Amino acid sequence: MKPVNVGIVGLGTVGSGTFNVLSRNAEDIARRAGRAITVTHVGARRDNPNADTSAVKVSRDVLQVVEDPEIDIVVELIGGTTLAKELVLKAIHNGKHIVTANKALIAEHGNEIFTAAQNKGVNVSFEAAVAGGIPIIKAIREGLSANRIDWVAGIINGTGNFIMSEMAEKGREFDDVLKEAQELGYAEADPTFDVEGIDAAHKLTILASIAFGIPLQFEKVYTEGITKITREDVSFAHELGYRIKHLGITRQTDTGVELRVHPTLVPASQLLANVDGVMNAVMVHSDAVGPTLYYGPGAGAEPTASAVVADVVDVARALTTDPKNRVPHLAFRADSLSDLPILPIEEVETGYYLRMHAKDQPGVMAKIASVLSKANINIEAIIQKDQVDDTSPVPLIMLVRKVIESEMNAALDTIRELDVLVDDIVRIRLETLVH
Amino acid sequence: MKPVNVGIVGLGTVGSGTFNVLSRNAEDIARRAGRAITVTHVGARRDNPNADTSAVKVSRDVLQVVEDPEIDIVVELIGGTTLAKELVLKAIHNGKHIVTANKALIAEHGNEIFTAAQNKGVNVSFEAAVAGGIPIIKAIREGLSANRIDWVAGIINGTGNFIMSEMAEKGREFDDVLKEAQELGYAEADPTFDVEGIDAAHKLTILASIAFGIPLQFEKVYTEGITKITREDVSFAHELGYRIKHLGITRQTDTGVELRVHPTLVPASQLLANVDGVMNAVMVHSDAVGPTLYYGPGAGAEPTASAVVADVVDVARALTTDPKNRVPHLAFRADSLSDLPILPIEEVETGYYLRMHAKDQPGVMAKIASVLSKANINIEAIIQKDQVDDTSPVPLIMLVRKVIESEMNAALDTIRELDVLVDDIVRIRLETLVH
């Protein structure tokens, strides 16, 4: 079957990320989509050293991509609302499906764009426009389709959340953190869009419309930034058991829809209060399921590309497969499942928590440490408690770094043979979950 | 357009929840699906007082539902793997689409069932089989389709997590909490499936297959329960900065796939470590997006029904709409968007954090409290700090309960007129996010 041809317009951070993900994961993506997805045309005013486009057609006049008769899907990643709008409407007119990460374009011109798309029978997908790599559009439009949604509250601007997190964790002042965020590349030279909540308002506009089935109404969002939050307020909020987060909130009430972006105190025990740094999270409360929360990176080249490419795969699946079996049962086509072996537990590598009760005699700790050391097992932490009374055995707790289970088993057998323990070793596996 | 006809088999907790959600939210669901979805036939050995089935056909012989020529989608909610398997295979043979919440059926017989479904050109959906109301199947199969998935780690059994959370928070012993869980209805009289990790192993089997594109291999899951975890280990883990959670973990390595359920120490700063009670959460790490996490209720009548009905809507959308426009841009059909008004911020009700710097004179606090009291604004907490020196104003911090913004504004104006403050009032909105 002939590949689905994709044209990417804009080769900045997200454009190059999208190009690279589609290329690197091409094989897995084809197994999922049921057919190859190929970038055949890139529209970019200049090259990007992060993306090797030497094998594809590149046009400096980006409008040439939407005129290319070979292209099935146009991926719009130039940003802004002037050229992007013209380009998207032309592509729709030419019968192309659209995938975009452009929150401003959708929030401000989505009603017009969707009408044009519907008239031409094409699709406009915008998963990447809200909360970067988190599949929140899909979760709300499809995953929660059984529910009457009560409200949506989200940390939907990574720059703002980085600033609020640094102020909270390190007691720093707003201006100081903003300056660092600019140096790290998290914030623009003109940070207005992020710190004044305009970017979050664009995203909230989209969330409200898909949650409640209302037209996009960006101009009605109440928007308040974080520039006036002081270290003092962050500190008092902590003292009262709260964190201050810059939230976008939309709620359906008996009289209408709330649509607001502002700094908000949130109880410290809420997961949303514990979403730190540049990460995003969206909490949705609805009548059947109750609370659900979606967390992940809200920006960056490949996280955003993840959402863009998921939209491309969605369109490719729709263009390819029997509509009644759009998504393969096990995500990948049944005839392309992999025969990767399942590893026995002895071959699994994890960290460990160990608890032993040692006999109260000299040198026990040294003997045990020596066994672990000879087996190249690294101790990360130790707790050795004083004995409660003369007759209680001494509890010895150790955390050890990642080791193959069979090697751990062998070391524990050797420790048992030392005959220094009063009962068997308790061991619990440990995972840091960081990469 | 004629409705999509649904037959529900099994009218227990999830069956009655599904029946009720489809009925209560029928109008919104039709706006989303593009056509009405109607339950026309229920198969149940006995009635359930929680579901009023008087208006639909009820068969005591549940197999009559799969023989009903009017039924488009059979929703299998009887559980178990014997009758459920027979019933699902017959329904497939009769050309019906299947929606099921049955994790054991899919984990143990999914390969056979999917092959049968593919041969008949029908769809078998099973969102509710993993993590209840969290749309995790959709997130992995569709939302993350751009990624090579590295690993998935989840709290996927609510009973086990309730027990581990109670042990951690209250220093209780396993047996004691298990007994309470049984009394609360969270745990079965025979708790083996939950506390020995079998239920989690069923769910992990499914997660591994959709993450890595491998056949379902339940028999190869390494499974270790939580029955041997002691209060002592929970406490030592805390001391070392960790929480013990019963995790299902599957990871793709260079040599194969890890597939394991066991108690696991997780750093306390990880969101997964902070998922408490009967809630579930699944963390997915993949190459493009990095870490994402999905949180919500993993069991219960309506949370599970939310996932079941989402699958029904998915099938209805596939049967109804132009495949290229399966999901409406704004979740609801363009011709059925609602004209709910957007509320001005003055009509929004929130809690507030207030900070004032009062003049150092007697009775200031009483005067301010009196203004709030007259406006029916309830103070939830107060911090009044001693002045640092004679010249500093006294900071006065208050949290007030939910009030309409215009009423708050009026009260703040009255406080300003008291002329007891040295500068303007700082106010930040507060949301508890609990309902």
Side-chain angles (χ1 to χ4, degrees):
Chain A
M1 188 180 272
K2 126 179 196 320
V4 172
N5 289 338
V6 172
I8 296 178
V9 184
L11 202 62
T13 304
V14 178
S16 60
T18 300
F19 185 87
N20 290 333
V21 168
L22 276 170
S23 150
R24 185 178 71 235
N25 291 343
E27 197 188 326
D28 271 8
I29 289 171
R31 285 171 63 209
R32 289 185 174 113
R35 121 197 224 194
I37 296 175
T38 315
V39 177
T40 56
H41 197 160
V42 169
R45 293 205 188 128
R46 63 189 74 84
D47 288 338
N48 183 330
N50 296 322
D52 175 10
T53 53
S54 55
V56 303
K57 184 175 174 187
V58 178
S59 295
R60 295 301 171 206
D61 172 5
V62 297
L63 287 170
Q64 291 194 6
V65 178
V66 310
E67 304 294 351
D68 182 339
E70 302 295 316
I71 294 294
D72 302 301
I73 304 172
V74 170
V75 177
E76 182 280 302
L77 300 171
I78 53 173
T81 54
T82 309
L83 177 57
K85 184 180 171 194
E86 179 192 345
L87 185 148
V88 162
L89 289 174
K90 273 197 180 148
I92 290 170
H93 179 79
N94 292 344
K96 321 264 184 223
H97 298 283
I98 308 292
V99 173
T100 179
N102 193 330
K103 52 221 75 164
L105 180 69
I106 297 298
E108 297 179 25
H109 304 288
N111 298 324
E112 178 185 349
I113 289 168
F114 298 153
T115 303
Q118 211 177 355
N119 291 338
K120 285 296 287 190
V122 297
N123 199 273
V124 178
S125 306
F126 48 94
E127 180 64 78
V130 182
I134 308 172
I136 185 64
I137 302 288
K138 186 170 280 286
I140 296 178
R141 291 203 313 191
E142 304 178 41
L144 301 178
S145 59
N147 293 265
R148 181 190 191 278
I149 293 176
D150 304 314
W151 52 261
V152 180
I155 295 171
I156 46 181
N157 180 274
T159 310
N161 199 49
F162 173 79
I163 294 173
M164 296 309 301
S165 302
E166 285 289 303
M167 288 178 71
E169 282 167 30
K170 298 177 189 162
R172 297 170 66 187
E173 284 289 4
F174 176 84
D175 289 338
D176 173 37
V177 185
L178 173 59
K179 211 178 134 196
E180 187 196 344
Q182 287 169 324
E183 285 161 10
L184 287 169
Y186 294 163
E188 306 288 331
D190 175 1
T192 313
F193 252 58
D194 292 320
V195 300
E196 294 295 358
I198 303 163
D199 174 73
H202 281 137
K203 295 165 180 167
L204 185 70
T205 300
I206 298 171
L207 288 174
S209 285
I210 63 171
F212 307 127
I214 55 175
L216 296 151
Q217 294 164 77
F218 169 67
E219 69 286 359
K220 293 187 184 159
V221 184
Y222 172 80
T223 306
E224 193 178 305
I226 53 174
T227 55
K228 289 174 194 158
I229 301 295
T230 64
R231 184 166 62 173
E232 194 181 4
D233 293 318
V234 170
S235 163
F236 284 129
H238 263 245
E239 197 173 331
L240 291 158
Y242 291 80
R243 301 286 176 272
I244 305 182
K245 291 292 185 186
H246 200 194
L247 296 189
I249 300 172
T250 182
R251 186 191 307 262
Q252 191 172 184
T253 75
D254 294 341
T255 49
V257 172
E258 299 176 3
L259 201 52
R260 49 195 171 102
V261 173
H262 53 68
T264 314
L265 270 75
V266 178
S269 59
Q270 280 280 355
L271 285 188
L272 263 192
N274 295 289
V275 170
D276 288 324
V278 293
M279 301 304 278
N280 282 14
V282 179
M283 189 170 179
V284 184
H285 198 284
S286 37
D287 71 338
V289 70
T292 56
L293 179 140
Y294 310 84
Y295 164 91
E302 292 213 354
T304 310
S306 170
V308 168
V309 173
D311 276 346
V312 171
V313 171
D314 251 15
V315 176
R317 279 172 165 165
L319 295 180
T320 304
T321 54
D322 166 18
K324 291 199 289 290
N325 272 295
R326 191 180 53 86
V327 182
H329 289 109
L330 295 180
F332 297 78
R333 283 173 56 99
D335 59 7
S336 75
L337 291 184
S338 137
D339 59 357
L340 281 170
I342 305 298
L343 298 175
I345 192 73
E346 291 75 18
E347 293 179 26
V348 166
E349 194 183 45
T350 67
Y352 285 91
Y353 161 98
L354 304 174
R355 174 164 59 84
M356 314 176 201
H357 289 128
K359 292 179 182 168
D360 185 23
Q361 60 188 46
V364 168
M365 176 67 209
K367 283 181 191 166
I368 293 170
S370 165
V371 171
L372 294 175
S373 167
K374 276 183 196 152
N376 287 316
I377 296 171
N378 296 309
I379 300 172
E380 190 178 321
I382 293 184
I383 301 180
Q384 187 160 19
K385 290 282 176 186
D386 288 339
Q387 51 191 126
V388 180
D389 55 60
D390 283 351
T391 55
S392 304
V394 182
L396 172 66
I397 290 90
M398 282 186 284
L399 299 187
V400 303
R401 289 188 205 278
K402 276 191 164 187
V403 51
I404 302 285
E405 179 131 340
S406 58
E407 294 173 14
M408 189 78 234
N409 290 345
L412 294 183
D413 282 344
T414 310
I415 290 172
R416 287 187 191 99
E417 285 160 16
L418 292 176
D419 194 28
V420 296
L421 303 179
V422 300
D423 53 12
D424 200 17
I425 301 163
V426 169
R427 59 127 162 230
I428 307 174
R429 294 175 192 84
L430 181 154
E431 295 282 349
T432 54
L433 304 177
V434 286
H435 53 75
Chain B
M1 189 180 274
K2 130 181 194 317
V4 172
N5 289 339
V6 172
I8 295 178
V9 184
L11 201 63
T13 305
V14 179
S16 60
T18 300
F19 185 87
N20 290 333
V21 168
L22 276 170
S23 148
R24 185 179 70 236
N25 290 343
E27 196 188 326
D28 271 7
I29 289 170
R31 286 172 62 210
R32 288 184 173 113
R35 121 198 225 191
I37 295 175
T38 316
V39 177
T40 56
H41 198 161
V42 168
R45 292 203 188 127
R46 62 190 73 84
D47 288 337
N48 183 330
N50 296 322
D52 175 11
T53 53
S54 56
V56 303
K57 184 175 174 187
V58 177
S59 296
R60 295 301 172 207
D61 172 5
V62 295
L63 286 170
Q64 291 194 7
V65 178
V66 310
E67 303 295 349
D68 183 340
E70 302 294 316
I71 294 294
D72 303 301
I73 304 173
V74 169
V75 177
E76 183 278 303
L77 300 172
I78 54 173
T81 54
T82 309
L83 176 58
K85 184 181 172 191
E86 179 192 344
L87 186 146
V88 162
L89 288 174
K90 274 197 180 148
I92 289 170
H93 178 80
N94 292 343
K96 321 255 183 233
H97 299 282
I98 308 291
V99 174
T100 179
N102 193 329
K103 54 221 73 166
L105 180 69
I106 297 298
E108 297 179 23
H109 304 288
N111 298 324
E112 179 185 348
I113 289 169
F114 297 153
T115 302
Q118 210 178 355
N119 291 338
K120 287 294 288 190
V122 297
N123 198 273
V124 177
S125 305
F126 48 94
E127 180 65 79
V130 182
I134 308 172
I136 185 65
I137 303 288
K138 186 170 280 286
I140 295 178
R141 291 203 314 191
E142 304 178 42
L144 301 179
S145 59
N147 292 265
R148 182 189 191 277
I149 293 176
D150 305 314
W151 52 262
V152 181
I155 295 170
I156 47 182
N157 180 274
T159 309
N161 199 49
F162 173 78
I163 295 174
M164 296 308 302
S165 302
E166 286 289 303
M167 289 177 71
E169 282 166 29
K170 299 177 189 161
R172 298 170 65 186
E173 284 290 4
F174 176 84
D175 290 338
D176 173 37
V177 184
L178 174 59
K179 212 177 133 196
E180 187 195 343
Q182 287 170 324
E183 285 161 11
L184 287 170
Y186 293 162
E188 306 288 331
D190 175 1
T192 313
F193 252 58
D194 291 321
V195 300
E196 295 295 358
I198 302 163
D199 174 72
H202 281 138
K203 294 165 180 167
L204 185 70
T205 300
I206 299 171
L207 288 174
S209 285
I210 63 170
F212 307 128
I214 56 175
L216 296 150
Q217 294 164 77
F218 169 67
E219 69 285 358
K220 294 189 184 159
V221 184
Y222 172 81
T223 306
E224 193 179 306
I226 53 173
T227 56
K228 290 174 193 157
I229 300 295
T230 64
R231 185 167 59 173
E232 195 181 2
D233 292 318
V234 169
S235 163
F236 283 131
H238 263 246
E239 198 173 330
L240 291 158
Y242 291 80
R243 302 287 176 273
I244 305 182
K245 290 292 182 186
H246 201 195
L247 297 189
I249 300 173
T250 182
R251 186 192 306 263
Q252 191 171 183
T253 75
D254 293 341
T255 49
V257 173
E258 300 176 3
L259 201 52
R260 48 195 172 101
V261 173
H262 53 69
T264 313
L265 270 76
V266 178
S269 59
Q270 280 280 357
L271 285 187
L272 264 191
N274 295 288
V275 171
D276 289 324
V278 293
M279 301 304 277
N280 281 198
V282 179
M283 189 171 179
V284 184
H285 199 284
S286 38
D287 70 338
V289 70
T292 56
L293 179 138
Y294 310 85
Y295 164 92
E302 292 215 354
T304 309
S306 170
V308 168
V309 174
D311 276 347
V312 171
V313 171
D314 251 15
V315 177
R317 279 172 166 165
L319 296 179
T320 304
T321 54
D322 166 17
K324 292 199 289 290
N325 271 295
R326 193 179 53 86
V327 182
H329 288 109
L330 295 179
F332 298 78
R333 283 172 56 99
D335 58 9
S336 75
L337 292 184
S338 135
D339 58 356
L340 281 171
I342 305 299
L343 298 174
I345 191 73
E346 290 75 19
E347 294 179 25
V348 167
E349 194 182 46
T350 67
Y352 286 91
Y353 161 99
L354 304 174
R355 175 164 60 83
M356 313 176 202
H357 289 128
K359 289 178 183 169
D360 185 25
Q361 59 189 44
V364 168
M365 176 67 209
K367 283 181 192 166
I368 293 171
S370 164
V371 171
L372 294 175
S373 168
K374 277 183 194 150
N376 288 315
I377 296 171
N378 296 310
I379 300 172
E380 191 178 321
I382 293 184
I383 302 180
Q384 188 160 19
K385 291 281 176 185
D386 288 339
Q387 53 191 124
V388 181
D389 56 62
D390 281 352
T391 55
S392 305
V394 182
L396 171 66
I397 290 90
M398 283 186 283
L399 299 187
V400 303
R401 290 188 204 279
K402 275 191 165 191
V403 50
I404 301 285
E405 178 130 342
S406 59
E407 295 173 14
M408 188 77 235
N409 290 344
L412 294 183
D413 281 344
T414 310
I415 290 172
R416 286 187 191 101
E417 285 160 15
L418 293 175
D419 195 26
V420 297
L421 303 180
V422 300
D423 53 14
D424 200 15
I425 302 162
V426 169
R427 58 128 162 232
I428 308 175
R429 296 176 190 83
L430 182 154
E431 295 283 347
T432 55
L433 304 177
V434 287
H435 53 76

